[in-house]
PDB file of all heavy atoms in Angstrom:
ATOM      1  N   LEU N  39       4.840  -0.029  -6.153  1.00 79.00           N
ATOM      2  CA  LEU N  39       4.150  -1.316  -6.069  1.00 79.00           C
ATOM      3  C   LEU N  39       5.016  -2.462  -6.566  1.00 79.00           C
ATOM      4  O   LEU N  39       4.944  -3.570  -6.039  1.00 79.00           O
ATOM      5  CB  LEU N  39       2.833  -1.263  -6.842  1.00 79.00           C
ATOM      6  CG  LEU N  39       1.773  -0.327  -6.262  1.00 79.00           C
ATOM      7  CD1 LEU N  39       0.563  -0.276  -7.171  1.00 79.00           C
ATOM      8  CD2 LEU N  39       1.369  -0.762  -4.863  1.00 79.00           C
ATOM      9  N   SER N  40       5.834  -2.215  -7.578  1.00 84.00           N
ATOM     10  CA  SER N  40       6.650  -3.294  -8.133  1.00 84.00           C
ATOM     11  C   SER N  40       7.764  -3.712  -7.175  1.00 84.00           C
ATOM     12  O   SER N  40       8.280  -4.813  -7.269  1.00 84.00           O
ATOM     13  CB  SER N  40       7.243  -2.886  -9.481  1.00 84.00           C
ATOM     14  OG  SER N  40       8.192  -1.853  -9.303  1.00 84.00           O
ATOM     15  N   GLY N  41       8.101  -2.840  -6.214  1.00 81.00           N
ATOM     16  CA  GLY N  41       9.118  -3.184  -5.230  1.00 81.00           C
ATOM     17  C   GLY N  41       8.657  -4.232  -4.237  1.00 81.00           C
ATOM     18  O   GLY N  41       9.462  -4.816  -3.531  1.00 81.00           O
ATOM     19  N   GLY N  42       7.359  -4.471  -4.171  1.00 83.00           N
ATOM     20  CA  GLY N  42       6.824  -5.507  -3.309  1.00 83.00           C
ATOM     21  C   GLY N  42       6.690  -5.127  -1.845  1.00 83.00           C
ATOM     22  O   GLY N  42       6.228  -5.925  -1.038  1.00 83.00           O
ATOM     23  N   GLN N  43       7.077  -3.916  -1.489  1.00 88.00           N
ATOM     24  CA  GLN N  43       6.981  -3.508  -0.086  1.00 88.00           C
ATOM     25  C   GLN N  43       5.566  -3.076   0.288  1.00 88.00           C
ATOM     26  O   GLN N  43       5.122  -3.306   1.407  1.00 88.00           O
ATOM     27  CB  GLN N  43       7.960  -2.363   0.199  1.00 88.00           C
ATOM     28  CG  GLN N  43       9.410  -2.692  -0.043  1.00 88.00           C
ATOM     29  CD  GLN N  43       9.936  -3.746   0.917  1.00 88.00           C
ATOM     30  OE1 GLN N  43       9.425  -3.946   1.997  1.00 88.00           O
ATOM     31  NE2 GLN N  43      10.965  -4.450   0.497  1.00 88.00           N
ATOM     32  N   PHE N  44       4.885  -2.429  -0.654  1.00 90.00           N
ATOM     33  CA  PHE N  44       3.530  -1.940  -0.404  1.00 90.00           C
ATOM     34  C   PHE N  44       2.516  -2.919  -0.984  1.00 90.00           C
ATOM     35  O   PHE N  44       2.725  -3.507  -2.039  1.00 90.00           O
ATOM     36  CB  PHE N  44       3.320  -0.557  -1.050  1.00 90.00           C
ATOM     37  CG  PHE N  44       4.114   0.522  -0.385  1.00 90.00           C
ATOM     38  CD1 PHE N  44       5.347   0.911  -0.897  1.00 90.00           C
ATOM     39  CD2 PHE N  44       3.648   1.149   0.752  1.00 90.00           C
ATOM     40  CE1 PHE N  44       6.091   1.905  -0.292  1.00 90.00           C
ATOM     41  CE2 PHE N  44       4.387   2.145   1.377  1.00 90.00           C
ATOM     42  CZ  PHE N  44       5.604   2.527   0.847  1.00 90.00           C
ATOM     43  N   THR N  45       1.405  -3.067  -0.293  1.00 90.00           N
ATOM     44  CA  THR N  45       0.354  -3.966  -0.734  1.00 90.00           C
ATOM     45  C   THR N  45      -0.514  -3.311  -1.807  1.00 90.00           C
ATOM     46  O   THR N  45      -0.944  -3.958  -2.744  1.00 90.00           O
ATOM     47  CB  THR N  45      -0.535  -4.353   0.470  1.00 90.00           C
ATOM     48  OG1 THR N  45       0.308  -4.789   1.529  1.00 90.00           O
ATOM     49  CG2 THR N  45      -1.504  -5.448   0.097  1.00 90.00           C
ATOM     50  N   ASP N  46      -0.759  -2.013  -1.633  1.00 90.00           N
ATOM     51  CA  ASP N  46      -1.603  -1.284  -2.582  1.00 90.00           C
ATOM     52  C   ASP N  46      -1.278   0.191  -2.470  1.00 90.00           C
ATOM     53  O   ASP N  46      -0.382   0.586  -1.720  1.00 90.00           O
ATOM     54  CB  ASP N  46      -3.085  -1.547  -2.299  1.00 90.00           C
ATOM     55  CG  ASP N  46      -3.926  -1.557  -3.564  1.00 90.00           C
ATOM     56  OD1 ASP N  46      -3.661  -0.736  -4.476  1.00 90.00           O
ATOM     57  OD2 ASP N  46      -4.834  -2.384  -3.666  1.00 90.00           O
ATOM     58  N   PHE N  47      -2.014   1.017  -3.207  1.00 89.00           N
ATOM     59  CA  PHE N  47      -1.690   2.426  -3.303  1.00 89.00           C
ATOM     60  C   PHE N  47      -2.948   3.277  -3.390  1.00 89.00           C
ATOM     61  O   PHE N  47      -3.907   2.903  -4.057  1.00 89.00           O
ATOM     62  CB  PHE N  47      -0.839   2.663  -4.550  1.00 89.00           C
ATOM     63  CG  PHE N  47      -0.441   4.087  -4.723  1.00 89.00           C
ATOM     64  CD1 PHE N  47       0.672   4.577  -4.070  1.00 89.00           C
ATOM     65  CD2 PHE N  47      -1.179   4.940  -5.502  1.00 89.00           C
ATOM     66  CE1 PHE N  47       1.037   5.910  -4.193  1.00 89.00           C
ATOM     67  CE2 PHE N  47      -0.831   6.267  -5.641  1.00 89.00           C
ATOM     68  CZ  PHE N  47       0.289   6.749  -4.976  1.00 89.00           C
ATOM     69  N   LEU N  48      -2.928   4.423  -2.728  1.00 91.00           N
ATOM     70  CA  LEU N  48      -3.968   5.439  -2.867  1.00 91.00           C
ATOM     71  C   LEU N  48      -3.307   6.733  -3.319  1.00 91.00           C
ATOM     72  O   LEU N  48      -2.303   7.156  -2.739  1.00 91.00           O
ATOM     73  CB  LEU N  48      -4.673   5.690  -1.540  1.00 91.00           C
ATOM     74  CG  LEU N  48      -5.737   4.690  -1.147  1.00 91.00           C
ATOM     75  CD1 LEU N  48      -6.137   4.899   0.308  1.00 91.00           C
ATOM     76  CD2 LEU N  48      -6.942   4.834  -2.049  1.00 91.00           C
ATOM     77  N   GLN N  49      -3.866   7.338  -4.358  1.00 90.00           N
ATOM     78  CA  GLN N  49      -3.315   8.598  -4.847  1.00 90.00           C
ATOM     79  C   GLN N  49      -4.096   9.759  -4.252  1.00 90.00           C
ATOM     80  O   GLN N  49      -5.326   9.736  -4.183  1.00 90.00           O
ATOM     81  CB  GLN N  49      -3.374   8.650  -6.373  1.00 90.00           C
ATOM     82  CG  GLN N  49      -2.639   9.842  -6.940  1.00 90.00           C
ATOM     83  CD  GLN N  49      -2.278   9.666  -8.393  1.00 90.00           C
ATOM     84  OE1 GLN N  49      -2.772   8.780  -9.057  1.00 90.00           O
ATOM     85  NE2 GLN N  49      -1.407  10.507  -8.875  1.00 90.00           N
ATOM     86  N   LYS N  50      -3.359  10.774  -3.794  1.00 93.00           N
ATOM     87  CA  LYS N  50      -3.979  11.984  -3.246  1.00 93.00           C
ATOM     88  C   LYS N  50      -4.530  12.842  -4.367  1.00 93.00           C
ATOM     89  O   LYS N  50      -3.947  12.871  -5.444  1.00 93.00           O
ATOM     90  CB  LYS N  50      -2.951  12.791  -2.452  1.00 93.00           C
ATOM     91  CG  LYS N  50      -2.487  12.114  -1.196  1.00 93.00           C
ATOM     92  CD  LYS N  50      -1.446  12.996  -0.527  1.00 93.00           C
ATOM     93  CE  LYS N  50      -0.862  12.339   0.689  1.00 93.00           C
ATOM     94  NZ  LYS N  50       0.172  13.190   1.309  1.00 93.00           N
ATOM     95  N   PRO N  51      -5.583  13.563  -4.164  1.00 95.00           N
ATOM     96  CA  PRO N  51      -6.428  13.540  -2.971  1.00 95.00           C
ATOM     97  C   PRO N  51      -7.238  12.240  -2.916  1.00 95.00           C
ATOM     98  O   PRO N  51      -7.718  11.750  -3.945  1.00 95.00           O
ATOM     99  CB  PRO N  51      -7.328  14.751  -3.141  1.00 95.00           C
ATOM    100  CG  PRO N  51      -7.413  14.970  -4.616  1.00 95.00           C
ATOM    101  CD  PRO N  51      -6.087  14.503  -5.171  1.00 95.00           C
ATOM    102  N   ILE N  52      -7.367  11.699  -1.744  1.00 96.00           N
ATOM    103  CA  ILE N  52      -8.064  10.429  -1.560  1.00 96.00           C
ATOM    104  C   ILE N  52      -9.565  10.667  -1.556  1.00 96.00           C
ATOM    105  O   ILE N  52     -10.061  11.541  -0.846  1.00 96.00           O
ATOM    106  CB  ILE N  52      -7.638   9.767  -0.236  1.00 96.00           C
ATOM    107  CG1 ILE N  52      -6.138   9.505  -0.256  1.00 96.00           C
ATOM    108  CG2 ILE N  52      -8.420   8.480   0.002  1.00 96.00           C
ATOM    109  CD1 ILE N  52      -5.582   9.112   1.086  1.00 96.00           C
ATOM    110  N   THR N  53     -10.257   9.877  -2.352  1.00 97.00           N
ATOM    111  CA  THR N  53     -11.718   9.940  -2.349  1.00 97.00           C
ATOM    112  C   THR N  53     -12.264   8.741  -1.590  1.00 97.00           C
ATOM    113  O   THR N  53     -11.587   7.725  -1.424  1.00 97.00           O
ATOM    114  CB  THR N  53     -12.286   9.907  -3.787  1.00 97.00           C
ATOM    115  OG1 THR N  53     -11.963   8.638  -4.375  1.00 97.00           O
ATOM    116  CG2 THR N  53     -11.722  11.044  -4.631  1.00 97.00           C
ATOM    117  N   ARG N  54     -13.474   8.856  -1.144  1.00 97.00           N
ATOM    118  CA  ARG N  54     -14.121   7.757  -0.433  1.00 97.00           C
ATOM    119  C   ARG N  54     -14.191   6.516  -1.322  1.00 97.00           C
ATOM    120  O   ARG N  54     -13.909   5.411  -0.872  1.00 97.00           O
ATOM    121  CB  ARG N  54     -15.518   8.178   0.003  1.00 97.00           C
ATOM    122  CG  ARG N  54     -16.248   7.102   0.793  1.00 97.00           C
ATOM    123  CD  ARG N  54     -17.601   7.558   1.255  1.00 97.00           C
ATOM    124  NE  ARG N  54     -17.407   8.643   2.202  1.00 97.00           N
ATOM    125  CZ  ARG N  54     -18.282   9.624   2.401  1.00 97.00           C
ATOM    126  NH1 ARG N  54     -19.402   9.667   1.722  1.00 97.00           N
ATOM    127  NH2 ARG N  54     -18.041  10.567   3.280  1.00 97.00           N
ATOM    128  N   ASP N  55     -14.544   6.707  -2.592  1.00 98.00           N
ATOM    129  CA  ASP N  55     -14.636   5.566  -3.512  1.00 98.00           C
ATOM    130  C   ASP N  55     -13.292   4.873  -3.699  1.00 98.00           C
ATOM    131  O   ASP N  55     -13.215   3.648  -3.722  1.00 98.00           O
ATOM    132  CB  ASP N  55     -15.173   6.009  -4.877  1.00 98.00           C
ATOM    133  CG  ASP N  55     -16.647   6.366  -4.838  1.00 98.00           C
ATOM    134  OD1 ASP N  55     -17.347   5.939  -3.887  1.00 98.00           O
ATOM    135  OD2 ASP N  55     -17.103   7.076  -5.752  1.00 98.00           O
ATOM    136  N   ALA N  56     -12.218   5.652  -3.822  1.00 96.00           N
ATOM    137  CA  ALA N  56     -10.886   5.058  -3.991  1.00 96.00           C
ATOM    138  C   ALA N  56     -10.495   4.264  -2.748  1.00 96.00           C
ATOM    139  O   ALA N  56      -9.951   3.160  -2.849  1.00 96.00           O
ATOM    140  CB  ALA N  56      -9.855   6.146  -4.276  1.00 96.00           C
TER     141      ALA N  56
END
Side-chain angles (χ1 to χ4, degrees):
L39 293 175
S40 68
Q43 300 294 336
F44 291 96
T45 310
D46 214 322
F47 181 84
L48 280 168
Q49 188 160 14
K50 293 178 184 179
I52 300 169
T53 65
R54 182 178 295 151
D55 289 341

